[in-house]
Amino acid sequence: MEKQKRIHVVCNMCGRELKIENGLLKEDAFEAAKEWGYFSGKDLELHRFTICEKCYDKWTSSFLIPMERQAKKEVM
Ligand SMILES: [Zn+2]
């Protein structure tokens, strides 16, 4: 699959446009892609969304069990 050049990306939660330069996201955001399988009610649908950092914090703070966090020593 060819990676298409992104002109703009918006946060699915708040609708804010994220900064893009030369097709690259210039601010960090949570990008998710999920292919639902047979054992779901969404038979083989591919879902994709982007959540900006602010909305990510809001979303994850609503979790009953806090997510796992780990500090990385270096950027890969
Ligand atoms: Zn947002």
Side-chain angles (χ1 to χ4, degrees), residues 10-16 18 50-56 58:
V10 291
C11 167
N12 284 72
M13 210 155 150
C14 68
R16 188 173 63 81
L18 306 182
T50 305
I51 302 286
C52 75
E53 190 178 1
K54 205 175 146 196
C55 292
Y56 175 88
K58 211 194 292 177

Side-chain angles (χ1 to χ4, degrees), residues 30-42:
F30 179 81
E31 296 182 277
K34 167 66 182 164
E35 210 179 308
W36 291 95
Y38 289 114
F39 301 110
S40 73
K42 302 167 190 60

